[in-house]
Amino acid sequence: MPQIINGKEISQQIKDELKLEVARLAKKGRRACLAVIQVGNDPASSVYVNNKKKACAYIGIESKSYELSKETSEEELISLVEKLNDDSQVNGILVQLPLPVHIDEDRIIRTISPDKDVDGFHPVSVGRLWIGEKGFLSCTPAGIIQLLKRSGITIEGKECVVIGRSNIVGKPMAALLLRENGTVTVAHSRTKDLKDITKRADILIVAVGKKKYITREYVREGAVVVDVGMHRDENGKLCGDVDYDDVAPVTSAITPVPGGVGPMTIAMLMDNCVETMRIREGKA
Ligand code: NAP
């Protein structure tokens, strides 16, 4: 029987630790405030934004909401972000993605001050990650590192294969595994003989964006499998990029969907918010 990596439990553990830390920092007069900007009212984005605000309230961080109409222009959004960059009461800025198509996401991401970039998407944060400097980490990959470590899985010296090279998951995942001394291979849509590569993996991270794509033919017996995917199956049930029922029996450990990687993203966003308080305390 594989070890089922419990993201719900681990994310709760992290939020509880952060709550204590926030209370300790608050006693010293430190505070954190996260500005959350949503443009338009896409229902999935509204759910994510609400969950982020709830998590802030739970750990004791103030959140300020900016709900803008979907007609908001790029320039209007830029000026709001610039205003928040200059606001000393705000230490983190989050712009919920995706943005309406008339707004250039990259331009918005680059406008957020790197010192308030709690999503870790700014090129300065990305650069810091790759050169091993302290900085805000992309939340989903940072959450996966926590899942592995807190489940007693060693990364150092392991053969790690990441399927996917997106800027928000695949690439930062590879950088973080490398930082943990894993030996890392990144596969993508032009990779030849994907199965031969994934079967080498001690730790296989799947962020391919395709429903139940990875079956047991891709997995070495005893591997650890982390499923980043998030989809609805033909019955409307949540499922991942990994065909869980087929793959789980050949693994030593696996993340389920839901309840695996998903809850970790918000927990690590909260960690980035607390990081802004730690930096102010001079301990980061
Ligand atoms: P994405 O931007 O669509 O990237 C998918 C990656 O998979 C690309 O790099 C693509 O290669 C690669 N790929 C596609 N088909 C492939 C194939 N047949 N063989 C090998 N590689 C292939 O997706 P993403 O944003 O990274 O997200 C990945 C998944 O994670 C999605 O299911 C998404 O919903 C989920 N997700 C979950 C969370 C969470 O909090 N749980 C957060 C973010 C994302 P190319 O670069 O060559 O096109």
Side-chain angles (χ1 to χ4, degrees):
M1 279 292 282
Q3 175 186 358
I4 312 298
I5 299 174
N6 191 335
K8 233 176 136 178
E9 214 170 273
I10 294 172
S11 66
Q12 188 59 47
Q13 224 174 58
I14 291 173
K15 283 188 283 184
D16 287 340
E17 289 165 13
L18 292 172
K19 189 176 180 160
L20 289 176
E21 194 175 351
V22 167
R24 181 183 64 77
L25 289 165
K27 278 193 194 140
K28 296 185 174 174
R30 307 280 167 220
R31 51 184 292 284
C33 171
L34 174 68
V36 183
I37 306 174
Q38 184 181 359
V39 184
N41 51 8
D42 170 62
S45 291
S46 301
V47 170
Y48 289 131
V49 163
N50 276 332
N51 287 342
K52 289 169 187 177
K53 288 193 286 195
K54 267 194 223 156
C56 280
Y58 182 76
I59 70 164
I61 284 180
E62 186 194 342
S63 63
K64 275 189 183 172
S65 235
Y66 297 84
E67 286 158 23
L68 311 182
S69 85
K70 67 177 190 304
E71 285 81 26
T72 302
S73 71
E74 188 170 306
E75 294 313 318
E76 285 168 322
L77 182 55
I78 294 273
S79 37
L80 172 60
V81 171
E82 285 173 343
K83 198 180 97 198
L84 295 168
N85 281 343
D86 293 338
D87 184 342
S88 61
Q89 301 296 307
V90 169
N91 17 17
I93 302 171
L94 183 147
V95 179
Q96 183 63 43
L97 303 179
L99 289 167
V101 288
H102 65 276
I103 298 178
D104 177 353
E105 277 184 5
D106 283 342
R107 189 172 167 219
I108 304 302
I109 288 169
R110 281 161 202 266
T111 304
I112 297 171
S113 161
D115 296 332
K116 300 190 179 188
D117 176 36
V118 286
D119 257 337
F121 294 160
H122 192 286
V124 169
S125 303
V126 176
R128 284 181 178 149
L129 166 62
W130 279 100
I131 63 174
E133 261 182 22
K134 247 185 179 310
F136 296 112
L137 301 176
S138 191
C139 301
T140 302
I144 292 170
I145 297 291
Q146 286 300 316
L147 277 183
L148 294 171
K149 285 187 169 174
R150 289 174 186 245
S151 302
I153 295 161
T154 309
I155 301 168
E156 181 157 336
K158 295 282 174 65
E159 189 86 47
C160 305
V161 176
V162 180
I163 315 180
R165 56 174 166 180
S166 70
N167 288 337
I168 60 164
V169 184
K171 284 181 196 150
M173 188 73 251
L176 283 171
L177 289 164
L178 199 56
R179 191 188 259 198
E180 296 296 331
N181 298 317
T183 302
V184 185
T185 304
V186 182
H188 47 78
S189 67
R190 313 289 173 88
T191 297
K192 291 197 178 109
D193 305 320
L194 181 63
K195 281 181 194 165
D196 290 347
I197 290 166
T198 56
K199 285 201 98 152
R200 290 205 314 251
D202 298 311
I203 300 175
L204 177 63
I205 315 278
V206 187
V208 68
K210 293 188 161 132
K211 199 185 295 185
K212 297 188 185 178
Y213 189 76
I214 296 301
T215 52
R216 65 170 66 190
E217 295 83 65
Y218 288 83
V219 181
R220 191 174 59 71
E221 182 90 31
V224 173
V225 174
V226 176
D227 187 355
V228 189
M230 186 67 81
H231 312 274
R232 296 241 169 231
D233 70 8
E234 46 293 348
N235 305 314
K237 263 181 64 185
L238 284 172
C239 69
D241 288 350
V242 173
D243 184 342
Y244 184 90
D245 293 337
D246 187 52
V247 169
V250 302
T251 66
S252 59
I254 186 165
T255 60
V257 178
V261 173
M264 296 301 293
T265 302
I266 291 186
M268 299 318 289
L269 171 71
M270 294 301 109
D271 188 59
N272 278 345
C273 293
V274 176
E275 182 72 6
T276 65
M277 299 170 84
R278 296 184 195 119
I279 290 167
R280 285 189 180 192
E281 199 191 28
K283 275 199 171 168

